[in-house]
């Protein structure tokens, strides 16, 4: 038998969720024929067959979480074994553990409860390991089970996080454990903008200007080696709300592109992100990120930085406010700005100066 393992999907991803199998056991497939689509934290990726042959066994079902290097497909003929170092390429190596599914979880000690209480829990469909015990010596009582059942009656069924939400939970936990965030805020007076101004493109342009003034924010920091890398080219991650979660495609080299080119590129990336058809390479290598959450609502935010980046800019909801203008109170349109930075590698002065340039560029009339 010849086995094909889940290949490396890039950027340190360790697992993926099976979305759809395109083949069945017993099917004959040819090289590069799509076998399965899997969902990572960034996109849905089709995995092609590494060679021709008849499929003897498929490992994992729709919704299962498969680890990189775990068995994916077993072919009926041939003695080679594939470890799948990158998508579409073969390599040999030792057999890896089978696919890990969502049902696998660390074993928990048996809850302490009398048979009658266990029977009550089964009747009320209450998992004892979720019940807070208040009885002597940590014993679960009838009242504990009834209290848990009452709480559960007011909530929907428990559901595992899938796809983007599951990946978001993992990435946010990692960012929280590593990043030391600090946030500064301000507002840009945009009352003098011409009618129909492209808000997102103005933000992109302003970020490019601010990165040139304060390069420390357009950088990567690798905490394992305590090394900072300043990056000359500005590759801007643009957070896109897909309904099922955020995807952050990358708008490349924004400082050197025309407004027309930036808008066309942004429209393409946004459409591909919403359709979940964006190529994986378009999701990698952002040097700084923009979250234009004000298109939905909210003024200011403490944003989350995804390592190895050092900063993220948030644009809040544009609204009319009374502010001082030429020494007099006036009702003006203002754009709230939030800058969250990694205080391990970016100083407060650098962040403040970045924000000053960002605000100043946005307040230009054109």
């Amino acid at each position: 038998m010849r086995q094909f393992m889940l290949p490396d999907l890039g950027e340190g991803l360790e697992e993926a969720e099976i979305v759809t199998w395109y083949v069945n056991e017993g099917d004959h497939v040819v090289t590069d024929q799509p076998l399965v689509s899997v969902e990572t934290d960034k996109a849905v990726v089709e995995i092609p067959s590494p060679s021709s042959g008849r499929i003897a066994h498929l490992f994992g079902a729709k919704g299962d979480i498969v680890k990189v290097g775990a068995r994916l497909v077993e072919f009926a003929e041939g003695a080679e074994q594939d470890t799948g170092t990158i998508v579409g390429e073969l390599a040999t190596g030792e057999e890896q553990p089978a696919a890990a599914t969502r049902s696998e979880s660390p074993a928990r000690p048996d809850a302490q409860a009398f048979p009658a209480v266990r029977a009550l829990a089964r009747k009320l469909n209450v998992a004892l390991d979720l019940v807070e015990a208040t009885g002597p010596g940590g014993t679960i009582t009838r009242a504990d089970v009834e209290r848990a059942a009452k709480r559960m009656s007011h909530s929907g069924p428990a559901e595992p996080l899938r796809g983007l939400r599951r990946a978001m939970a993992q990435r946010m936990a990692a960012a929280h454990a590593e990043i030391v965030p600090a946030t500064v805020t301000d507002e840009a007076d945009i009352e003098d903008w011409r009618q129909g101004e492209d808000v997102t493109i103005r933000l992109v342009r302003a970020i490019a200007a601010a990165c040139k003034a304060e390069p420390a924010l357009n950088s990567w920091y690798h905490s394992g080696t305590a090394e900072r890398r300043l990056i000359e080219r500005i590759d801007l991650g643009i957070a896109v709300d897909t309904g099922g979660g955020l995807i952050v495609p990358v708008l490349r080299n924004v400082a050197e592109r025309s407004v027309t080119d930036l808008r066309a590129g942004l429209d393409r990336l946004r459409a591909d992100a919403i359709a979940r058809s964006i190529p994986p390479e378009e999701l990698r290598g952002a040097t700084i990120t923009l979250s234009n959450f004000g298109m939905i609502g909210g003024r200011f935010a403490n944003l989350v930085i995804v390592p190895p980046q050092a900063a993220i800019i948030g644009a809040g909801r544009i609204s009319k406010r009374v502010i001082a203008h030429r020494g007099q109170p006036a009702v003006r349109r203002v754009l709230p700005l939030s800058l969250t930075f990694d205080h391990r590698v970016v100083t407060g002065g650098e962040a403040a100066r970045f924000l000053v340039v960002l605000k100043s560029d946005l307040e230009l009339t054109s």
Side-chain angles (χ1 to χ4, degrees), residues 200-210 259 262 361-362 364-366:
T200 303
I201 297 303
R202 284 298 302 264
L203 284 162
V204 171
R205 189 182 79 175
I207 290 170
V259 168
L262 285 171
D361 193 276
L362 287 169
L364 297 173
T365 56
S366 60

Side-chain angles (χ1 to χ4, degrees), residues 249-291:
V250 182
L251 198 59
R252 306 288 179 183
N253 200 19
V254 297
E256 305 300 327
R257 297 169 64 175
S258 68
V259 168
T260 302
D261 188 34
L262 285 171
R263 171 42 65 185
L266 182 60
D267 288 343
R268 177 180 56 81
L269 288 177
R270 190 183 300 276
D272 288 348
I274 291 174
R276 300 302 305 279
S277 61
I278 191 164
E281 60 269 18
E282 299 292 345
L283 298 161
R284 299 170 180 157
T287 59
I288 191 168
T289 295
L290 167 65
S291 175

Side-chain angles (χ1 to χ4, degrees), residues 29-54:
V29 298
V30 297
T31 302
D32 292 333
Q33 177 180 338
L35 295 175
V36 63
S37 62
V38 298
E39 185 172 37
T40 71
D41 63 329
K42 300 186 177 211
V44 174
V45 179
E46 286 189 350
I47 297 179
S49 177
S51 60
S52 300
R54 184 173 63 83

Side-chain angles (χ1 to χ4, degrees), residues 30-358:
V30 297
T31 302
D32 292 333
Q33 177 180 338
L35 295 175
V36 63
S37 62
V38 298
E39 185 172 37
T40 71
D41 63 329
K42 300 186 177 211
V44 174
V45 179
E46 286 189 350
I47 297 179
S49 177
S51 60
S52 300
R54 184 173 63 83
I55 294 175
H57 188 67
L58 302 177
F59 295 91
K62 178 180 179 180
D64 283 354
I65 303 299
V66 185
K67 300 288 186 182
V68 169
R71 292 179 296 177
L72 196 60
V73 175
E74 187 172 72
F75 291 92
E77 59 274 337
E80 291 186 23
Q81 186 180 29
D82 172 52
T83 58
T85 54
I86 58 175
V87 173
E89 294 191 11
L90 297 176
T92 58
E94 296 181 358
E95 181 176 342
Q96 301 295 319
T101 68
R102 192 176 293 104
S103 62
E104 296 177 358
S105 58
R108 301 188 181 188
D110 290 337
Q112 299 182 48
F114 290 107
V117 174
R118 292 183 179 275
L120 176 63
R122 287 193 295 271
K123 178 180 178 181
L124 298 179
N125 196 27
V126 172
L128 288 176
D129 56 357
L130 299 179
V131 177
E132 181 182 0
T134 63
T139 302
I140 296 174
T141 67
R142 291 182 61 89
D144 294 335
V145 172
E146 291 167 349
R147 185 163 47 250
K150 184 176 181 180
R151 283 199 309 269
M152 293 171 60
S153 68
H154 298 296
S155 65
E159 57 181 30
L161 294 180
R162 296 173 179 268
L164 286 178
R165 291 188 183 276
R166 183 174 184 275
M168 177 179 67
Q170 294 172 335
R171 283 187 173 265
M172 294 304 99
H176 176 73
E178 181 176 338
I179 299 291
V180 180
T183 300
V184 290
T185 64
D186 207 336
E187 291 179 322
D189 180 353
I190 61 171
E191 180 65 27
D192 295 330
W193 277 8
R194 61 189 176 189
Q195 188 173 5
E197 188 72 87
D198 190 325
V199 178
T200 303
I201 297 303
R202 284 298 302 264
L203 284 162
V204 171
R205 189 182 79 175
I207 290 170
C211 285
K212 287 187 175 182
E214 283 296 338
L217 284 88
N218 192 59
S219 65
W220 288 337
Y221 178 64
H222 297 277
S223 57
T225 58
E227 293 177 337
R228 180 185 71 159
R229 185 183 297 272
L230 300 182
I231 304 170
E232 183 176 352
R233 197 173 86 163
I234 304 166
D235 290 336
L236 181 64
I238 306 284
V240 177
D241 180 25
T242 67
L246 285 180
I247 293 180
V248 187
V250 182
L251 198 59
R252 306 288 179 183
N253 200 19
V254 297
E256 305 300 327
R257 297 169 64 175
S258 68
V259 168
T260 302
D261 188 34
L262 285 171
R263 171 42 65 185
L266 182 60
D267 288 343
R268 177 180 56 81
L269 288 177
R270 190 183 300 276
D272 288 348
I274 291 174
R276 300 302 305 279
S277 61
I278 191 164
E281 60 269 18
E282 299 292 345
L283 298 161
R284 299 170 180 157
T287 59
I288 191 168
T289 295
L290 167 65
S291 175
N292 193 3
F293 62 85
M295 298 175 65
I296 302 172
R299 292 183 61 207
F300 300 106
N302 292 317
L303 302 162
V304 178
I305 303 166
V306 176
Q309 295 175 57
I312 179 171
I313 298 95
R317 183 181 63 251
I318 296 172
S319 61
K320 287 187 172 290
R321 295 174 56 79
V322 177
I323 62 173
H325 178 66
R326 297 179 180 174
Q328 299 293 326
V331 178
R332 310 273 293 179
R333 290 175 71 227
V334 296
L335 171 58
L337 301 169
S338 302
L339 169 62
T340 299
F341 59 98
D342 187 346
H343 218 332
R344 296 176 302 171
V345 288
V346 177
T347 70
E350 289 167 334
R353 287 188 291 271
F354 180 98
L355 192 58
V356 167
V357 176
L358 182 72

